[in-house]
Amino acid sequence: MTQQGAVLQGYNNELVKCIEDLCMQKEELNKQIQQAEEEKSKLQHEIQVLSEQLECVCENLAHKVASRNELDKILAETEAAYMKILDSSRTLLNVLKKEVGSLKHSPDLKTN
């Protein structure tokens, strides 16, 4: 019977050692889980901060693009109006040259 008791004691010792090993593995795994959760939380916070920054940049960009489009429109209208002024000036100059030319040939101006 003492031999059976010794065998049983050996099994008990192995069982206790296995349970202790499992407990140590669980503690190590808990530490890893906690570290992973902290890293997850940190990354989620960084994502939130970056998302807010991205939103601000997108809004700023949209305002700048709208301003540029408005300036493009104003420039196009101004250039078109300026071209009309140039065309009118050229037409006026041509008419004036023609009138001056016809006045030079007028008999009233030839008498001194």
Side-chain angles (χ1 to χ4, degrees):
M1 205 39 135
T2 56
Q3 187 177 12
Q4 291 174 340
V7 170
L8 186 59
Q9 184 64 35
Y11 291 154
N12 186 47
N13 289 342
E14 277 189 61
L15 184 58
V16 168
K17 185 177 181 332
C18 285
I19 291 173
E20 287 174 352
D21 287 346
L22 288 174
C23 286
M24 287 175 46
Q25 288 178 3
K26 179 184 172 188
E27 286 178 31
E28 180 60 32
L29 193 55
N30 279 338
K31 287 179 187 176
Q32 292 174 1
I33 288 171
Q34 184 178 355
Q35 288 173 347
E37 287 175 344
E38 288 172 1
E39 181 69 15
K40 176 185 170 188
S41 177
K42 177 184 170 189
L43 290 172
Q44 285 176 327
H45 177 71
E46 289 177 12
I47 288 171
Q48 181 182 354
V49 168
L50 289 173
S51 294
E52 290 170 2
Q53 289 176 349
L54 178 61
E55 185 178 335
C56 288
V57 168
C58 287
E59 287 175 9
N60 192 354
L61 179 61
H63 289 300
K64 288 181 179 184
V65 167
S67 294
R68 183 191 61 195
N69 290 343
E70 185 65 24
L71 285 174
D72 284 344
K73 179 182 170 188
I74 291 169
L75 275 170
E77 291 172 355
T78 303
E79 287 173 351
Y82 183 68
M83 293 307 291
K84 287 180 181 180
I85 291 170
L86 287 178
D87 189 45
S88 295
S89 295
R90 186 180 67 242
T91 302
L92 178 60
L93 181 61
N94 289 337
V95 168
L96 185 60
K97 284 180 180 180
K98 187 188 286 184
E99 291 295 321
V100 168
S102 66
L103 284 176
K104 285 183 182 179
H105 294 90
S106 170
D108 294 336
L109 290 179
K110 287 188 178 181
T111 58
N112 283 342

